[in-house]
Amino acid sequence: MAKKNSPKSRARGTAPDAVVEKVDGGLAELIPDRDRPRSWTLLLDGAPQSHVDLDDPARLDFAYQRRLGHVVDLVAPAKQPLTVLHLGGGAFTLARYVAATRPRSTQQVVEIDVPLAQLVRRELPLDPGARIRVRGADAREGLAKAADGWADLVIADVFSGARTPAHLTSTEFLADVRRVLKPGGHYAANLADGPPLAHLRGQIATAAALFPQLALAADPAVLRGKRFGNAVLLASASALPVAEWTRRVATDPHPGRVEHGRDLVDFTGGAAPVVDVSAQPSPAPPSSVFK
């Protein structure tokens, strides 16, 4: 099932229609941006997943994606190519960002929903010059096939039905992430939670079991347990760019706060690390989040 303008009508400048198709994860919709003619938002069963500006792939529309973009900017000197493993593809927004801001980077995207990846590649093509490989596989299975010490950066942004699958929340999962990272590499994850923040606290404790350096960026209202929202977790065995990440997150159009060190330990509140045998998916967001 699909609805779209013909290529000829698009060439005449007619505004494109939405593209709607059934994929493995539900009903995918590509919604055109009224203000930017080659910008699109990907929705899955009504939940916003990604935003892409084909004319300016360095433009990140969602706040959590900008926070991940800041991570990309700060984990190595500007313009230095990176090797990046993306767990979860969406519309490949972060992979496009890396390719635009760090040319000659080598990237691999692992996306379990093959029909979704095919839809995005057809309607929102990747730059043919970008070194981005897309693999159809479960995120943990794709991670297991990556070589030891391959990645400068692993980005996890995996949701199924707006929830992070349980098997991507455990110490065993993060042990494999640590294996794939170079000694000074970084791990960044998009997490989602709401009051009482039990999932988020557990994920911080889980990361702390594998990585000595942690920082967390989120909207202050989310950190206070006042509403459901996204939080970006950054982890590494080496020092983190906390000061500059904090500055960028605080000066965002939707300002956030970065917690690290003792404050982050206190925020965790004694939560225990999550292991495979007891892992649970992240909580489902309330329906009001997407209205």
Side-chain angles (χ1 to χ4, degrees):
M1 174 172 59
K3 178 184 179 183
K4 56 186 177 181
N5 282 333
S6 69
K8 184 178 292 186
S9 68
R10 292 189 188 191
R12 290 197 303 265
T14 303
D17 293 329
V19 180
V20 182
E21 286 193 14
K22 185 71 175 177
V23 296
D24 288 346
L27 189 67
E29 300 173 80
L30 290 172
I31 308 298
D33 191 322
R34 294 181 179 179
D35 300 319
R36 301 178 71 90
R38 279 168 44 87
S39 292
W40 299 79
T41 299
L42 169 66
L43 282 72
L44 196 57
D45 283 342
Q49 300 290 318
S50 305
H51 182 275
V52 169
D53 187 333
L54 295 177
D55 289 331
D56 183 8
R59 177 176 176 267
L60 300 175
D61 195 61
F62 293 176
Y64 87 85
Q65 290 182 331
R66 288 195 296 275
R67 289 163 189 163
L68 288 169
H70 298 327
V71 169
V72 171
D73 295 343
L74 296 172
V75 295
K79 302 293 185 180
Q80 178 178 309
L82 297 175
T83 52
V84 185
L85 176 61
H86 301 264
L87 303 179
F92 311 137
T93 303
L94 268 298
R96 299 173 200 266
Y97 182 86
V98 173
T101 60
R102 294 185 176 275
R104 303 183 309 283
S105 291
T106 299
Q107 302 185 76
Q108 184 172 119
V109 179
V110 180
E111 171 57 59
I112 192 172
D113 195 330
V114 173
L116 174 62
Q118 292 172 338
L119 167 66
V120 171
R121 297 190 76 168
R122 185 186 75 229
E123 298 294 332
L124 311 177
L126 290 165
D127 180 348
R131 294 193 284 189
I132 302 172
R133 179 186 177 189
V134 181
R135 172 181 288 177
D138 171 79
R140 191 153 164 182
E141 292 175 1
L143 176 68
K145 293 179 180 178
D148 293 4
W150 178 80
D152 294 301
L153 177 63
V154 174
I155 298 176
D157 187 8
V158 185
F159 288 85
S160 175
R163 304 176 75 180
T164 301
H167 67 297
L168 305 182
T169 68
S170 67
T171 54
E172 291 91 339
F173 164 68
L174 286 184
D176 216 21
V177 169
R178 180 92 189 247
R179 175 190 65 79
V180 171
L181 285 174
K182 295 177 181 179
H186 292 74
Y187 170 67
N190 176 31
L191 307 173
D193 199 8
L197 299 179
H199 173 74
L200 185 56
R201 298 181 203 278
Q203 287 305 284
I204 298 166
T206 304
L210 275 301
F211 295 96
Q213 301 294 325
L214 300 176
L216 184 76
D219 185 296
V222 173
L223 293 174
R224 291 196 300 269
K226 299 295 185 181
R227 69 172 181 83
F228 195 99
N230 296 89
V232 172
L233 177 65
L234 178 60
S236 181
S238 60
L240 301 176
V242 171
E244 181 59 18
W245 198 39
T246 299
R247 187 192 69 79
R248 294 191 184 198
V249 169
T251 57
D252 189 81
H254 294 89
R257 192 171 81 223
V258 172
E259 298 284 9
H260 63 97
R262 173 51 58 184
D263 289 341
L264 188 56
V265 172
D266 292 344
F267 175 83
T268 305
V274 175
V275 295
D276 274 343
V277 68
S278 58
Q280 298 291 326
S282 65
S287 59
S288 59
V289 168
F290 305 123
K291 291 183 180 179

